[in-house]
Amino acid sequence: MSLRPVKRLIKSKPTREGAGVHLRRAFGFGNTSEFDPFLLLDDFRNDVPEDYLAGFPWHPHRGIETVTYVLAGTVEHGDSMGNRGAIAAGDVQWMTAGSGIIHQEMPKGDQSGRMHGFQLWANLPASLKMTAPRYQEVKAPEIPEITDDDGTHVRVVCGSFWGKSGPVDGIAADPIYLDVSIAPGRRKTLPVETTRHAFAYVFAGGGKFCNASGPLAVPTEGVGWSDTSLPKEADNRSLVLFDRGDEVAVQAGDDGIRFLLVSGKPLEEPVAWYGPIVMNTQEQLRQAFDELDEGTFLKP
């Protein structure tokens, strides 16, 4: 077994999206190759209603899939196909925009005013950019949960892990999307297929994602670890990008650690991206925006 080295350890950055929603962006709108097939990860955890209630009014998407995972509060949604609904704590919505959809997402806080969740964008391969749009909406009880002997707890949103398969299927990037909790002080090794790009996003507690099985960690460029110490701790709102290997190892801190662990098979295709539309060429991108102007964006 080969442990995946940590390529980068970075903090998500504050930004605003939609009608002024305050959120944190872990990655996105930059070089997509290291995260391929994923394009963007937003952390929209917020406890101040005026910072999120304006939401994400009607806007288009084409050429991607969006994954919305809610931890607290609700997100009400509607779209150009006439769909309406809401996802609440523990629920997931996987939207394949395909050839084009216009939708809105309006967050509502819980009784304490908390609106917590994440949105991940996954790219579609060229062969499926213009596929028919569809939704997969999964309620919390449908998501398999596994508790290992040492207390490690995993929710399997998508893909197969430890003998369980998540309820979301038919996704082009063949992703594995896990919500992992590890008890204080525990060290845990988790399998990740070698051919996949993979990252972790920490959203509670903290810990160290180890570069080697010990006794020495492997220094990683740009992070500044010494060659005799374990990596710097990854705490709340930290993104860990992994290099190649077939497993990741994490040492939970005093408060334990909870993180998303996401991996997918890279598409290795050109990306032409502007705002909510992601295609393969600039010409396709221009065509999409021309169709928006002409009223021919939505396909029958």
Side-chain angles (χ1 to χ4, degrees), residues 84-132:
R84 295 286 185 278
I87 51 174
D91 297 348
V92 176
Q93 182 198 79
W94 203 296
M95 183 191 77
T96 303
S99 62
I101 199 166
I102 296 175
H103 76 154
Q104 68 171 355
E105 299 160 297
M106 305 304 287
K108 309 287 183 188
D110 63 12
Q111 290 182 336
S112 302
R114 299 179 308 156
M115 177 66 247
H116 292 188
F118 308 97
Q119 187 167 91
L120 175 71
W121 290 13
N123 202 3
L124 280 169
S127 60
L128 293 174
K129 288 285 189 192
M130 297 300 286
T131 194

Side-chain angles (χ1 to χ4, degrees), residues 52-171:
Y52 62 75
L53 282 176
F56 306 91
W58 297 98
H59 59 280
H61 282 295
R62 176 179 284 179
I64 64 169
E65 302 183 280
T66 65
V67 191
T68 307
Y69 180 31
V70 177
L71 300 177
T74 60
V75 177
E76 297 176 356
H77 64 89
D79 69 31
S80 50
M81 298 189 296
N83 295 308
R84 295 286 185 278
I87 51 174
D91 297 348
V92 176
Q93 182 198 79
W94 203 296
M95 183 191 77
T96 303
S99 62
I101 199 166
I102 296 175
H103 76 154
Q104 68 171 355
E105 299 160 297
M106 305 304 287
K108 309 287 183 188
D110 63 12
Q111 290 182 336
S112 302
R114 299 179 308 156
M115 177 66 247
H116 292 188
F118 308 97
Q119 187 167 91
L120 175 71
W121 290 13
N123 202 3
L124 280 169
S127 60
L128 293 174
K129 288 285 189 192
M130 297 300 286
T131 194
R134 71 166 179 150
Y135 281 101
Q136 295 183 68
E137 194 164 294
V138 180
K139 299 302 183 183
E142 300 172 57
I143 298 176
E145 302 195 20
I146 312 164
T147 303
D148 206 8
D149 293 342
D150 62 359
T152 298
H153 184 80
V154 180
R155 299 189 84 219
V156 185
V157 172
C158 184
S160 297
F161 188 79
W162 284 351
K164 298 276 189 180
S165 292
V168 178
D169 63 6
I171 304 302

